[in-house]
Amino acid sequence: MLYPPRLDLANLPTPLVKLERFSERLGGVNVWMKRDEMTGVEVSGNKIRKLEFCIAEAQRQGCDTLITCGGIQSNHCRATAIMGARLGMKVQLILRGEEPKIPSGNHFMDLLAGAEISYLPAEGWATAHPQYARQLQAEAEVAGHKAYFIPTGASDEVGLWGYIAASEELAADFKRLNLKPSAIVTATGSGGTQAGLIVGNQIFDLAEKIVAFNVSDSAVYFDERAREDIARWQTRYADLLEGTPGAEIDAAALSVLTQEGYLGPGYGIGYPEVFDTIKALASAEGVFLDPVYTGKAFYGMVNEILKGDEGCFAGAKDIVFIHTGGLFGVFPQQENFTFAAD
Ligand SMILES: *Cc1c(COP(=O)(O)O)cnc(C)c1O
């Protein structure tokens, strides 16, 4: 596979392991985990795979500053802030909501890494944040700098490459382990991991299906998002992709499987089953999920598996869960965990 410019930022390949003890509870289904929470210590998670391509593109354009945006506890903003510090690039973050009185989790790490942070109200965010990013870019230019804007979650046609490259890595994992999973599972938030895996599955023929559990928005939203992002990727990289089997997919005809029902009260807000799932996996396997993304997706996956023929994994033997990271998001919600004898 030919790739556009890419930086070597993540610790790759990440391990693919079978959750031996946890799988015993699932009536004959083996759950495997692609441990992308191990892409780095501070830069852990899925965003660094996308940033390998986004920051390479920024540097190709001669930029010395990165601007990006997200929620206060954004894992993507944290990864960008730290990578900027490592590469000697200035990072400006636009965060959604009020500045917390006491920084915690990812936000605390943004501050430690020296990112410059602006806070915009949640109300009007959708239109206000790109405008504000353009303003910051203009100000950078006046000051003799050049700033590159990475959209939310690095989910655009550049960041899409992250999980296409991850798919190539999974193809090698599956070959080594002689594994042909029924499904690959991910949490979906800004859609780039899901869309990258969908394209990667077309190119590398990994599994029967890619199933995403939405932790924000709706299945309809992610359906449109994936098609739009993939179509833009095909247009932008048409020359590079010429002759790549699987890349000429008709984006309109793709099947985008987003399983609803596990978002709970809203983006970023955990609920009891999620906190219990985090505890259960940590104690059974020593693997830590987070309450914003992976905890909801993993809970959803387990619940759907236990539904048997009624669930979205009917007939599955092997399922691969992508652990997309997010550990630092546990700490701001730690009061919600209870440890009474259960
Ligand atoms: C961002 C994120 C996701 C979702 O990935 P998208 O590509 O934004 O859909 C999942 N898990 C974690 C831990 C994340 O930080």
Side-chain angles (χ1 to χ4, degrees):
M1 179 92 202
L2 289 174
Y3 291 95
R6 176 183 187 179
L7 296 172
D8 180 9
L9 305 178
N11 276 326
L12 302 177
T14 57
L16 175 69
V17 299
K18 186 173 161 193
L19 301 179
E20 296 278 356
R21 280 172 302 282
F22 197 86
S23 293
E24 283 168 16
R25 307 174 186 183
L26 301 175
V29 176
N30 296 315
V31 172
W32 299 75
M33 187 174 266
K34 180 64 170 170
R35 300 202 58 183
D36 277 5
E37 91 279 27
M38 293 169 69
T39 49
V41 175
E42 309 84 350
V43 295
S44 63
N46 60 342
K47 300 312 181 310
I48 194 68
R49 285 193 186 264
K50 305 175 184 196
L51 289 173
E52 289 198 332
F53 293 94
C54 296
I55 302 177
E57 176 60 18
Q59 293 187 345
R60 192 188 69 78
Q61 293 183 18
C63 296
D64 58 4
T65 301
L66 300 170
I67 300 172
T68 196
C69 52
I72 300 285
Q73 283 300 332
S74 166
N75 294 301
H76 161 66
C77 288
R78 180 254 310 153
T80 307
I82 295 166
M83 256 317 145
R86 251 174 231 181
L87 297 168
M89 299 175 85
K90 180 176 170 174
V91 175
Q92 294 178 301
L93 302 178
I94 309 169
L95 300 184
R96 185 180 60 245
E98 274 173 45
E99 178 176 4
K101 287 204 180 65
I102 303 169
S104 65
N106 290 298
H107 176 231
F108 176 63
M109 296 172 80
D110 297 342
L111 292 164
L112 285 177
E116 207 177 280
I117 307 181
S118 313
Y119 304 87
L120 293 189
E123 205 172 314
W125 164 261
T127 47
H129 85 268
Q131 266 169 22
Y132 190 70
R134 278 193 292 277
Q135 183 187 324
L136 290 176
Q137 278 179 308
E139 286 169 10
E141 203 169 316
V142 170
H145 293 280
K146 195 169 177 201
Y148 182 85
F149 177 61
I150 304 171
T152 307
S155 287
D156 64 1
E157 62 273 26
V158 184
L160 195 78
W161 286 104
Y163 273 82
I164 297 172
S167 297
E168 185 163 16
E169 192 178 306
L170 282 169
D173 291 334
F174 296 171
K175 192 169 174 212
R176 190 180 61 249
L177 294 161
N178 197 17
L179 189 65
K180 181 76 197 183
S182 312
I184 297 175
V185 174
T186 184
T188 189
S190 61
T193 303
Q194 178 182 17
L197 288 169
I198 289 172
V199 173
N201 196 29
Q202 295 288 323
I203 299 173
F204 300 106
D205 189 22
L206 301 172
E208 283 162 35
K209 56 188 180 182
I210 307 297
V211 178
F213 287 85
N214 62 302
V215 301
S216 65
D217 303 283
S218 66
V220 169
Y221 171 81
F222 288 106
D223 192 85
E224 286 170 12
R225 236 349 267 254
R227 289 174 212 289
E228 284 170 13
D229 289 351
I230 292 168
R232 263 203 299 275
W233 169 80
Q234 287 174 316
T235 307
R236 176 146 169 187
Y237 296 102
D239 290 347
L240 189 66
L241 293 172
E242 208 176 301
T244 303
E248 297 107 1
I249 23 164
D250 176 4
L254 279 175
S255 85
V256 180
L257 302 173
T258 309
Q259 180 63 49
E260 292 185 332
Y262 301 96
L263 168 60
Y267 171 75
I269 308 169
Y271 49 92
E273 291 86 346
V274 171
F275 298 117
D276 289 346
T277 300
I278 294 173
K279 263 199 306 186
L281 192 69
S283 58
E285 299 277 353
V287 170
F288 285 67
L289 303 167
D290 79 288
V292 180
Y293 296 96
T294 56
K296 288 183 182 177
F298 198 91
Y299 166 60
M301 176 186 70
V302 168
N303 200 50
E304 291 294 322
I305 291 172
L306 295 176
K307 284 184 190 171
D309 287 345
E310 311 297 311
C312 71
F313 301 111
K317 182 91 188 69
D318 292 286
I319 297 175
V320 175
F321 182 87
I322 313 284
H323 192 328
T324 43
L327 177 62
F328 308 120
V330 172
F331 304 105
Q333 297 199 38
Q334 69 189 38
E335 302 103 78
N336 298 309
F337 290 82
T338 50
F339 296 99
D342 22 38

